[in-house]
């Protein structure tokens, strides 16, 4: 088709062969990506949590490995002199033709960009040979009939109990349910309690995505009820009980709870998707305020998420006029952080030098951020987007920010005409620093207690994931728009299992007790929890609520016990939804023998 349209343009066999090599490289990547997602089902059925965690970590590196394989193959095969501008122009046209019936064209375009930018060694934001904008539409891509993107159920015809049970059994999990009829009855009861009755519309039905969403120790059924012009999202978590049997743990209807489940602070899901754009479109009907970039990312397609985020950022830049400036809050010793007030993200650049007492390097800090990227973030660590050679319009920077950049990061800053180019930076979702949030709470003790409770819970959940924050000062934690406390300063994090939790030794003499410096030896990984209060609890109100909810964090015994559980191979349960909505924590009256169809139980929004 492309050959017929451009007979004079497409003359290069080299261009065609390179396009095919890149397409084949992407297909290999996505085949392996899907295989890992398919294997997640088996790991879940077997309760092989450590294996599942390792597979999820390894999958994050798949993309870069396939890109490097493809680049190496092309560099070995072709001389740079052969790759003229005309070849690159033809190459892109050939590639477009190869994606006409592709199931993942948007991902393949991004893969093409990654390979070409590695070979061209040019800044991609100005390159005419890549996909600056998407070319192949993802609308109405057909899945295979045997595996549609979502299944449709009609409870008005089949009855609610039977429909719910069929939704669950259609996933064909090999592990036995402890009591599926009981769990389905609990979902029915929750439906009646939460929604009440509404008028039944002719189109009432349930849509459920065909693949389970796997993460950590849970599998999630994702769907929505439809009645008239109303849609009602829901998620059903499936867990193992202590006997290794399956249970339906709860059902999520609340929009905020579902949003938090898909938060940027959590590890990526493993989902087997033939047409990922169709999954993204379905999820956007459940989460209309969440940008497509974040949905692709939470599905494990973080490179596509980065691509879409950058396009959204450029679009925002065109339609705004405010200035980039230094982000509010206490200035960090390691990072220079700036923000655009109208844009809900911050930009973080590693400084060229670090004042005492910091003893680190840029390479070590990048390792810490990479650790977080590959780790289970349990809803308490913000995901980061890492970019190289990002161009900013100089006139959009405040003079104070330009001065700070020139002082703290001269090695990463270049000026090209009317642009500033930053060679390396991280981008994170903007949050209110916890220290500012607590200060602004003033005398509102309800707010203060909530902030302190969330802060301690964040630390405990990080510990459950084998993460020690290192610097636990409030300025290193942020508060999200859902009022959750999240950790975002990673330059001092360590694995809990690498830390040595100690009790401060008893002084042997008065001189030792009065000494300004510790008289006992302290190793690099030694931690003294009883000292935390000295830095954290100067405010009387904060101390009051910290001691009420989290006093155990000041004891060596608590930390050591958690470390030992991890060393013993125990994988902790960290729930991405409130404990009080779990079926095991509520008594639900069994439904009557005959129930109205599902959609009759839902009320108008």
């Amino acid at each position: 088709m492309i050959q017929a349209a451009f007979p004079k343009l497409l003359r290069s066999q080299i261009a065609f062969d390179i396009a095919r090599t890149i397409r084949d490289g992407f297909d290999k990547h996505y085949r392996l990506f899907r295989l890992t997602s398919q294997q997640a089902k088996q790991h879940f059925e077997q309760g092989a949590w450590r294996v599942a965690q390792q597979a999820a970590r390894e999958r994050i590196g798949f993309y870069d490995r396939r890109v490097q394989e493809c680049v190496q193959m092309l560099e070995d095969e072709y001389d740079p002199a052969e790759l003229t501008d005309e070849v690159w122009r033809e190459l892109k046209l050939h590639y477009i033709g190869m994606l006409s019936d592709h199931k993942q064209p948007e991902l393949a375009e991004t893969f093409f960009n990654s390979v070409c930018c590695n070979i061209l060694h040019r800044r991609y934001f100005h390159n005419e040979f890549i996909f600056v904008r998407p070319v192949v539409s993802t609308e109405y891509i057909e899945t295979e009939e045997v595996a549609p993107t979502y299944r449709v159920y009609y409870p008005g015809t089949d009855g609610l109990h039977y429909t719910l049970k069929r939704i669950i059994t259609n996933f064909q999990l090999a592990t036995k349910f402890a009591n599926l009829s009981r769990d389905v009855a609990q979902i029915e009861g929750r439906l009646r309690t939460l929604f009440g009755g509404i008028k039944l519309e002719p189109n009432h039905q349930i849509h459920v995505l065909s693949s389970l969403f796997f993460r950590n120790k849970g599998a999630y059924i994702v769907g929505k009820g439809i009645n008239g012009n109303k849609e009602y999202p829901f998620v059903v978590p499936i867990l193992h009980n202590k006997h290794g049997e399956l249970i339906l743990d709860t059902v999520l209807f609340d929009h905020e709870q579902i949003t938090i489940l898909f938060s940027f602070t959590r590890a990526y899901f493993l989902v087997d998707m033939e047409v990922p754009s169709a999954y993204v479109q379905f999820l956007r009907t459940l989460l209309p305020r969440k940008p497509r970039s974040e949905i692709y990312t939470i599905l494990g397609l973080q490179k596509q998420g980065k691509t879409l985020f950058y396009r959204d950022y450029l679009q925002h830049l065109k339609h705004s006029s405010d200035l980039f400036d230094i982000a509010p809050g206490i200035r960090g010793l390691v990072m220079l952080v700036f923000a655009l007030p109208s844009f809900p993200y911050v930009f973080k650049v590693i400084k060229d030098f670090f004042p005492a007492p910091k003893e680190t390097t840029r390479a070590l800090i990048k390792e810490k951020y990479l650790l977080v990227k590959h780790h289970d973030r349990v809803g308490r660590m913000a995901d980061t987007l890492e970019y190289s050679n990002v161009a900013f319009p100089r006139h959009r920077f405040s003079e104070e920010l330009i001065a700070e950049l020139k002082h703290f990061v001269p090695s990463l800053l270049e000026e090209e005409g009317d642009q500033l180019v930053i060679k390396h930076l991280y981008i994170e979702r903007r949050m209110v620093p916890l220290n500012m949030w607590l200060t602004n709470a003033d005398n509102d003790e309800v707010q203060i207690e909530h902030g302190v409770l969330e802060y301690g819970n964040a630390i405990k959940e990080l510990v459950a994931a084998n993460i020690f924050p290192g610097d636990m000062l409030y300025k290193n934690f942020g508060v999200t728009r859902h009022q959750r406390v999240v950790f975002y300063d990673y330059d001092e994090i360590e694995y809990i299992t690498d830390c040595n939790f100690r009790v401060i030794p008893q002084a042997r003499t008065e001189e030792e007790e009065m000494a300004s410096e510790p008289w006992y030896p302290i190793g690099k990984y030694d931690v003294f929890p009883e000292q935390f209060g000295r830095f954290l609890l100067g405010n009387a109100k904060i101390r009051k609520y910290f001691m009420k909810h989290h006093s155990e964090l000041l004891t060596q015994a608590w930390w050591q016990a958690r470390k030992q559980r991890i060393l013993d191979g125990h994988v902790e349960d960290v729930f991405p939804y409130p404990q009080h909505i779990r079926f095991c924590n509520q008594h639900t009256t069994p439904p009557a023998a005959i129930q109205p169809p599902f959609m009759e139980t839902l009320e108008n929004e």
Side-chain angles (χ1 to χ4, degrees):
M1 179 179 68
I2 295 294
Q3 291 277 9
F6 304 100
K8 294 183 179 180
L9 286 177
L10 301 185
R11 299 189 299 265
S12 172
Q13 184 64 38
I14 291 177
F16 178 83
D17 291 343
I18 293 176
R20 184 172 55 191
T21 298
I22 297 175
R23 193 272 319 273
D24 291 347
F26 169 76
D27 288 346
K28 177 183 177 181
H29 159 67
Y30 200 72
R31 183 171 64 252
L32 295 173
F33 180 92
R34 286 192 71 184
L35 179 62
T36 302
S37 302
Q38 292 160 1
Q39 291 170 339
K41 180 173 183 283
Q42 182 179 358
H43 299 327
F44 174 77
E45 291 167 339
Q46 296 173 351
W49 310 129
R50 293 292 187 191
V51 177
Q53 287 180 339
Q54 182 63 27
R57 282 193 293 267
E58 290 177 354
R59 188 188 66 167
I60 293 172
F62 280 7
Y63 184 92
D64 288 336
R65 283 200 290 273
R66 299 294 87 77
V67 167
Q68 289 307 313
E69 285 177 6
C70 198
V71 168
Q72 190 64 54
M73 191 181 309
L74 293 174
E75 289 182 339
D76 290 345
E77 183 71 21
Y78 300 100
D79 188 278
E82 297 178 280
L83 305 180
T84 64
D85 284 1
E86 184 162 337
V87 167
W88 283 110
R89 291 189 185 95
E90 292 190 25
L91 167 58
K92 183 177 177 181
L93 292 174
H94 279 301
Y95 198 77
I96 293 170
M98 293 175 183
L99 299 184
S100 60
D101 295 317
H102 207 278
K103 303 295 185 183
Q104 307 94 29
E106 77 284 22
L107 309 186
E109 289 178 356
T110 294
F111 189 87
F112 179 94
N113 288 352
S114 298
V115 172
C116 289
C117 290
N118 272 271
I119 294 175
L120 288 166
H121 301 296
R122 299 178 184 174
R123 293 193 177 92
Y124 63 87
F125 45 79
H126 282 320
N127 200 298
E128 63 178 296
F129 306 135
I130 65 171
F131 294 92
V132 177
R133 293 184 297 273
V135 173
V136 181
S137 172
T138 59
E139 296 292 324
Y140 308 113
I141 297 178
E142 295 292 334
T143 57
E144 299 296 334
E145 291 185 6
V146 295
T149 298
Y150 60 89
R151 301 187 183 101
V152 181
Y153 301 86
Y154 300 95
T157 301
D158 301 330
L160 177 58
H161 188 92
Y162 173 79
T163 298
L164 291 175
K165 184 172 284 190
R166 191 156 65 92
I167 287 172
I168 294 153
T169 56
N170 275 349
F171 289 107
Q172 299 181 358
L173 289 166
T175 308
K176 174 187 174 184
F177 277 87
N179 190 334
L180 184 56
S181 294
R182 175 204 63 195
D183 293 349
V184 168
Q186 289 176 311
I187 293 179
E188 291 181 89
R190 185 70 60 81
L191 285 168
R192 292 198 315 277
T193 301
L194 292 178
F195 296 106
I198 63 168
K199 179 183 177 182
L200 185 66
E201 299 288 349
N203 71 331
H204 69 288
Q205 55 197 274
I206 302 174
H207 294 181
V208 177
L209 286 169
S210 297
S211 294
L212 289 167
F213 286 54
F214 296 98
R215 186 172 64 195
N216 301 332
K217 297 169 72 175
Y220 299 85
I221 299 171
V222 179
K224 59 185 177 182
I226 297 174
N227 191 55
N229 62 353
K230 300 291 184 181
E231 295 188 353
Y232 304 87
F234 67 87
V235 177
V236 179
I238 307 174
L239 303 179
H240 286 244
N241 65 15
K242 62 182 180 181
H243 304 295
E245 300 166 319
L246 299 182
I247 59 170
L248 306 181
D249 195 49
T250 187
V251 56
L252 307 179
F253 289 107
D254 182 81
H255 180 268
E256 182 169 308
Q257 291 171 359
I258 295 175
T259 300
I260 290 173
L261 178 71
F262 288 90
S263 168
F264 66 94
T265 63
R266 299 195 181 278
Y268 308 139
F269 284 108
L270 287 90
V271 190
D272 180 23
M273 303 170 289
E274 183 185 19
V275 181
S277 60
Y279 273 73
V280 171
Q281 183 58 37
F282 188 100
L283 289 170
R284 289 204 78 196
T285 66
L286 277 58
L287 304 163
R289 294 181 58 188
K290 188 170 284 291
R292 287 187 306 141
S293 60
E294 286 191 17
I295 297 177
Y296 272 104
T297 298
I298 200 66
L299 294 174
L301 300 165
Q302 66 270 20
K303 295 296 182 180
Q304 185 66 19
K306 278 183 62 176
T307 296
L308 293 178
F309 173 87
Y310 196 71
R311 287 171 180 164
D312 290 344
Y313 156 73
L314 292 177
Q315 195 72 2
H316 179 89
L317 212 55
K318 289 179 182 178
H319 295 87
S320 61
S321 58
D322 52 337
L323 298 182
F324 288 94
D325 207 346
I326 299 166
I330 299 174
R331 305 285 175 88
L333 298 179
V334 168
M335 291 284 195
L336 190 155
V337 184
F338 62 95
L340 188 67
S342 62
F343 195 56
Y345 295 85
V346 296
F347 302 78
K348 304 173 68 170
V349 187
I350 303 173
K351 294 180 178 179
D352 283 358
F353 55 89
F354 317 111
K358 291 288 184 182
E359 296 181 1
T360 188
T361 64
R362 176 174 282 122
L364 185 58
I365 293 167
K366 292 171 76 171
E367 284 181 19
K368 301 288 188 182
Y369 273 75
L370 188 62
L371 182 157
V372 172
K373 173 67 72 175
H374 287 79
H375 202 77
D376 175 12
R377 296 190 297 281
V378 293
R380 297 298 185 174
M381 290 192 286
D383 195 12
T384 57
L385 300 173
E386 184 177 7
Y387 288 91
S388 300
N389 296 319
V390 179
F392 296 89
R394 193 186 192 284
H395 73 276
R396 296 289 296 273
F397 276 49
S398 71
E399 290 305 317
E400 183 184 7
L401 175 55
I402 291 176
E404 291 268 309
L405 288 166
K406 289 183 176 180
H407 177 70
F408 288 110
V409 293
S411 71
L412 296 179
L413 188 67
E414 289 184 2
E415 296 192 51
E416 295 184 354
D418 59 355
Q419 290 187 322
L420 293 175
V421 178
I422 297 179
K423 296 178 184 178
H424 180 266
L425 58 75
Y426 296 99
I427 302 176
E428 283 181 4
R429 177 67 71 87
R430 186 168 61 205
M431 292 172 272
V432 180
L434 179 58
N435 62 305
M436 294 177 60
W437 194 89
L438 290 170
T439 299
N440 293 337
D442 198 18
N443 292 318
D444 186 340
E445 297 214 13
V446 173
Q447 284 284 83
I448 293 173
E449 182 172 15
H450 173 79
V452 173
L453 179 63
E454 268 290 294
Y455 168 76
N457 287 343
I459 291 173
K460 290 175 180 177
E461 291 178 19
L462 289 173
V463 171
N466 195 21
I467 290 292
F468 177 63
D471 190 343
M472 292 169 53
L473 295 178
Y474 304 128
K475 68 182 181 68
N476 297 321
F477 292 78
V479 183
T480 72
R481 62 188 179 88
H482 296 290
Q483 305 296 292
R484 301 182 70 252
V485 170
V486 172
F487 185 55
Y488 55 55
D489 193 338
Y490 305 141
D491 60 277
E492 292 191 18
I493 64 170
E494 301 289 349
Y495 290 118
I496 289 289
T497 48
D498 288 340
C499 296
N500 181 27
F501 297 101
R502 295 176 56 189
V503 175
I504 296 176
Q506 187 70 35
R508 296 167 297 185
T509 66
E510 184 176 347
E511 288 77 11
E512 288 180 346
E513 186 172 355
M514 301 301 293
S516 60
E517 297 293 332
W519 53 268
Y520 44 88
I522 300 176
K524 178 181 178 181
Y525 296 104
D526 286 352
V527 179
F528 299 88
E530 61 194 285
Q531 289 186 325
F532 294 164
R534 183 181 306 173
F535 307 102
L536 300 175
L537 305 181
N539 181 294
K541 289 188 175 69
I542 291 175
R543 180 179 182 84
K544 169 185 169 182
Y545 293 116
F546 187 95
M547 298 307 292
K548 174 182 176 181
H549 296 291
H550 304 301
S551 60
E552 63 273 25
L553 293 179
L554 304 181
T555 67
Q556 180 267 355
W558 184 88
W559 291 87
Q560 187 60 34
R562 295 307 182 275
K563 173 181 175 179
Q564 192 58 52
R565 283 175 64 83
I566 298 170
L567 290 172
D568 291 342
H570 188 82
V571 179
E572 300 284 358
D573 293 306
V574 180
F575 298 92
Y577 44 83
Q579 285 282 301
H580 71 269
I581 69 170
R582 299 182 64 206
F583 291 143
C584 63
N585 294 329
Q586 286 190 341
H587 174 71
T588 303
T589 304
I594 299 177
Q595 287 296 321
F598 170 66
M599 297 313 300
E600 288 189 335
T601 70
L602 302 179
E603 64 183 3
N604 291 312
E605 293 180 344

